[in-house]
Structures are given as C-alpha cells and as structure tokens.
Amino acid sequence: MTTPLERARRYEAERERSISEAERPAFHLSPRVGWMNDPNGFSYYGGQYHLFYQYHPYDSHWGPMHWGHAVSRDLLRWEYLPAALAPDAPYDRDGCFSGTAVTLPDGRHALMYTGVAEETGLDGRKRHLQTQNLAFGDGVNYVKYEKNPVITGKDLPAEGSPYDFRDPKIWMAPDGSYRALIANDRLSARGERLGGQLLLYRSDDLARWQLLSCPAQNPGRLGRMWECPDLFALDGWHALLLSAQDMLPEGFEYHNDNGALCLIGRFDAATGRFEALRDQAVDYGIDFYAPQTLATEDGRRIMIGWMQNWDTCGLPQDDAPWFGQMTLPRELSIRDGRLCQRPIRELEALRGSEIRFDRVAVENGEVSLPGVEGRAADMEIEIEPEGEIFTRFAVVFAQDAAYRTSIGFRPRESILKIDRKFSGSRRAIIHQRRAEVRHDGGRLRLRLILDRYSAETFVGDGEKALSATLHTTLSAQGIRFFCDGRARVSVRFWKLDL
Ligand code: FRU
C-alpha cells in the first residue's frame, strides 16, 4: 500500500518535470510543485541549510498541508529533497502545519510542528483541533514520534483555545533543556475570540512538556490571533517576530491585514516574560508573511519569509503548476531601536560583471541606460536632486509596451511607493503600498533585487524593506528611470542570472 508520503513524493518527482527552470524564480525558493506557504524548520543541519515549507503538492491552492523540503549551501541555490511530512496520522490527518527544527545531541534533526485534526462539536460545527508533534530524521527522511501529540489542549492555561494553538518555535536552552514558544488564541467562556497570546513550554526530553509562562499577550492593538512566533537576541536587544491576523493600519504601519510584525524589547529567560518596548512592521511592501530566522555559524541572524500574503494571493491562473515563493534571506540587525534588514551577503557572489553609471541627469521624463535591463538583477541606486527638489522619481522595471512596475519616491512627502497595477495581474487585489522613508533633502539610496517574479527593495542601509511579487510575462525586460522635475541618478547594476 502506498502511504500519503510516498504518494506525495512520487507525485512531485513526476510532476516537476513539466515545470521548466526558466519559469521559476532563479534564486528564490518556489515549491517543487503545487502550493507553498510559510517557511518551516529553517535550520543548519549536516553541513547545509534546510528549508521546509507548507506545501500542497497536488494543487496551486492551499490544501491538506504537507512539508516540502529543500537544501542549500548558500541560501540562494536550492536543491529539492523529497517531501518530509504528509498528513497521515490521526492527530495530523487534516494537515501538518508550521513548525521549526532543532539538532539533537545525538545528531538527529528534530522537527516540531502543529498537527491538525478536524472534529465535529456537539453543535455540529466542524473545528480544527491543533496539537504539537515531533518527527525525527536524518536530513532526508523523518519519522513521526510514536507518542505524538506531545503538547495538547490539556497543556493550555484557562482561556487558551485548542483550535488556534500552533506554529511552535523550538530551541535548546544553555542548560540543554528545550523551549517551545507557541501561538495561541484566547477564547471566552462564551466562545468569543479574545486575541492572541504566546505560550512558552519547557522540556528536558522533548516528550514531556510543562507550561512555563505567557511571554506576551496581544494588547488588543496588534491584530487578533498571532501566528508563527520567533524570538532571538540581536544587537543587545531581543526581537519577537509575529505574524498577526486582522491588523488595523496605524499611520504607515500595519497596512497588510495579515502582517508580520517585530516587537523589540527584553526577554527575561528566568521568568519567561517579554517586555515589548517598540513594535513595527517587518516589511512595507505587499507580499510578506510568516518569517522564520536562523543563526549562521558566523553569527548572523538570517530571516526568510513567505513572499505572499493571505490577502493578495490572486493566482494568475487556476491551473498554474506552482504558486508561492520565499523572500530573499535577509541579514537582520537592530539600529536605533528598529529592525533593519539587508539581502544576505552571499548574493554578491552571484553578481555578473558590473555596469555603472554616475550621476546621470533625469529631467521631466524617462531614461534607459545601456545594459541595464532584465528580470534577475541586483541594483544599487542613488538618487539626488538637481537644483530645486523634484516631485517624483521612479525606477520602472519589468517593463515593455504593456507592462510596468515601479518604485516611486516623493521626497516632499517622504513617501516610497511600490506600484504593480500594470504588472499583468488580472485580480482586483492590492497593487500599491506606501512607506515613509528618511532621506536627506531628496537624496536616497535604494537596493533593488529582481528575480523574475518578484521585486524586493531595501532602503538606505536596510532601514525598510518592501517586497512584492509580480506575474509579469518574462519578456518584459525593461528598466527605466523617471523624474518629474530634475534629478541625477547613479546606478551600479549586476545581472543575477545563475
Ligand atoms: C500562517 C499559517 C500558520 C499555519 C499555516 C497553515 O500563514 O496560517 O499559522 O501553521 O499557515 O498552512
């Protein structure tokens, strides 16, 4: 008899042959076949980086969740491995939801993930019971623990909902014991949803877990349920990453409904409490959610996110062979109390030869620069006013007679805007997003990374990032610089075709 995992492995190996490499992102991970959402189990194990992902191989839409799997040595060139988990046990028969990985002292790779099993309540309503489960493996094959589930609704505090209890982040504490930080929604006795909280559990053996604390509770301001927590020390602070559902915009923050946010503060390991001093969006573009991080051997904290958002999935066509991609891995730092991010430095090794232009005049119109074109590129762009400050400067890309996407800068309003209205989407979803940026009298530095079906913009030294996916046909290769007013632009351009 074929198991669900064997079936998925056979299917993906067969079906991937119909997807040409040229139609995928070149250095962003996309699903081997079918649908991808959150990154999972992002870790370094056995001399390689491992990235698993929420995966529905049989369709380009979300469905019963498997874990897809890929490995890389530079976090940019990925090799697919066979699917790691399939929903095939009583406690995860309706899905293996998100989770993380840790290396055990005996050398095994351990995954902790949320199992979902549908049950019908006394009122006839169907609900998803969520529990935490383990699987142990060697970097390719994983076996579910025979005593799963290891954390269940019985381990919840009063008000904790067993139906929204997911996305464990596990790590090993300095004394060799384990911690699991899990997202949970609170329910009133009458069944009203009260808003998210995080729960911290402790274990000596990964099998028996004890509730330690509730490190953070949604103050009622930051969305409703929280998903996909991650907690780490960085630059003298602690950062808590969360993906919040149903955010209310505040000024230029939190415009994405489902939005990844970063709380910066202090985590007290003795009490298990997190004191948040500031909060901010992680990404100011259109497509970003559910990030996870890892620490590299050389001490960098690297984040990768799902370059998509539940509200903007707008598939180009229902029968697309794959859908969903990860962001570029990004190096994190905290500067002036804010989370900053830059493309991982490994990207520089993929650059082709440099094309450079210094202080080219752009005046009330568009200019193109010889050799500056294509859909897989790394660009450093420096904009400066010439005389009176200009009204708007834009970098236009993925452009031809029919299509264009732009990053537009309005210095008088200090606004940077991504606009993909004319990128080829046939869906009436959000196509623009604005971010407030700091600049020096109209001088602004941008780094723009294009990878066929996406554009990621990093402002200054990584103070802000804006990510967006594009469905533009690959024949739209143009890159142009536009100014309403007078400006000069300096460009360093590298092709990134691998
Ligand atoms: C976040 C999320 C997680 C869940 C997974 C299901 O995008 O909803 O909370 O584990 O996706 O695919």
Side-chain angles (χ1 to χ4, degrees), residues 35 37-38 40 54-55 62-63 65 96-99 114 116 130 166-167 183 225-228 243 245 289-290 306 310:
W35 164 276
N37 59 290
D38 312 356
N40 291 158
Q54 290 286 279
Y55 182 37
W62 192 87
M65 280 292 114
C96 300
F97 275 19
S98 286
T114 299
V116 176
Q130 304 190 335
R166 59 180 174 270
D167 308 339
M225 166 82 186
W226 287 346
E227 306 182 301
C228 305
S243 289
Q245 297 177 329
Y289 199 63
W306 180 38
W310 290 110

Side-chain angles (χ1 to χ4, degrees), residues 296-344:
T296 57
E297 300 216 308
D298 61 5
R300 290 174 290 159
R301 179 60 59 174
I302 309 287
M303 175 181 74
I304 198 161
W306 180 38
M307 191 152 46
Q308 206 47 257
N309 189 298
W310 290 110
D311 284 287
T312 54
C313 282
L315 256 70
Q317 56 201 63
D318 273 351
D319 59 352
W322 62 270
F323 182 77
Q325 50 183 312
M326 296 299 168
T327 64
L328 208 58
R330 301 173 183 178
E331 295 182 13
L332 300 183
S333 59
I334 294 180
R335 284 200 316 270
D336 303 328
R338 284 190 58 89
L339 184 75
C340 297
Q341 43 193 306
R342 288 174 139 166
I344 44 159

Side-chain angles (χ1 to χ4, degrees), residues 295-437:
T296 57
E297 300 216 308
D298 61 5
R300 290 174 290 159
R301 179 60 59 174
I302 309 287
M303 175 181 74
I304 198 161
W306 180 38
M307 191 152 46
Q308 206 47 257
N309 189 298
W310 290 110
D311 284 287
T312 54
C313 282
L315 256 70
Q317 56 201 63
D318 273 351
D319 59 352
W322 62 270
F323 182 77
Q325 50 183 312
M326 296 299 168
T327 64
L328 208 58
R330 301 173 183 178
E331 295 182 13
L332 300 183
S333 59
I334 294 180
R335 284 200 316 270
D336 303 328
R338 284 190 58 89
L339 184 75
C340 297
Q341 43 193 306
R342 288 174 139 166
I344 44 159
R345 61 194 67 163
E346 284 81 348
L347 190 67
E348 286 154 39
L350 305 187
R351 287 170 165 175
S353 53
E354 180 178 341
I355 301 178
R356 188 179 184 137
F357 293 90
D358 285 317
R359 304 193 68 238
V360 176
V362 190
E363 287 186 28
N364 295 313
E366 262 181 15
V367 301
S368 55
L369 302 173
V372 176
E373 61 177 10
R375 291 286 288 278
D378 184 351
M379 297 171 76
E380 290 178 8
I381 301 161
E382 210 167 326
I383 304 159
E384 57 188 293
E386 174 83 343
E388 194 191 336
I389 201 163
F390 53 87
T391 305
R392 177 171 174 265
F393 187 95
V395 185
V396 181
F397 49 90
Q399 179 262 354
D400 65 7
Y403 304 116
R404 59 199 285 127
T405 292
S406 64
I407 285 283
F409 170 43
R410 289 183 178 273
R412 294 181 199 167
E413 290 134 69
S414 299
I415 291 296
L416 189 70
K417 181 166 107 176
I418 171 97
D419 185 345
R420 63 168 187 197
K421 276 195 298 298
F422 303 113
S423 64
S425 170
R426 294 167 194 269
R427 304 282 167 253
I429 52 174
I430 290 290
H431 289 312
Q432 301 176 20
R433 188 64 83 212
R434 292 184 302 165
E436 205 167 19
V437 289

Side-chain angles (χ1 to χ4, degrees), residues 196-257:
Q197 64 182 355
L198 300 183
L199 300 173
L200 183 64
Y201 292 83
R202 180 191 184 284
S203 173
D204 286 317
D205 56 7
L206 286 177
R208 285 161 302 162
W209 291 85
Q210 192 192 0
L211 179 63
L212 257 191
S213 66
C214 170
Q217 216 171 58
N218 190 339
R221 183 171 73 81
L222 299 170
R224 293 195 169 117
M225 166 82 186
W226 287 346
E227 306 182 301
C228 305
D230 195 355
L231 173 66
F232 48 89
L234 187 63
D235 296 334
W237 297 94
H238 287 100
L240 181 55
L241 299 183
L242 297 165
S243 289
Q245 297 177 329
D246 304 329
M247 299 285 283
L248 257 189
E250 289 178 13
F252 284 99
E253 295 289 326
Y254 311 136
H255 283 243
N256 279 334
D257 173 351

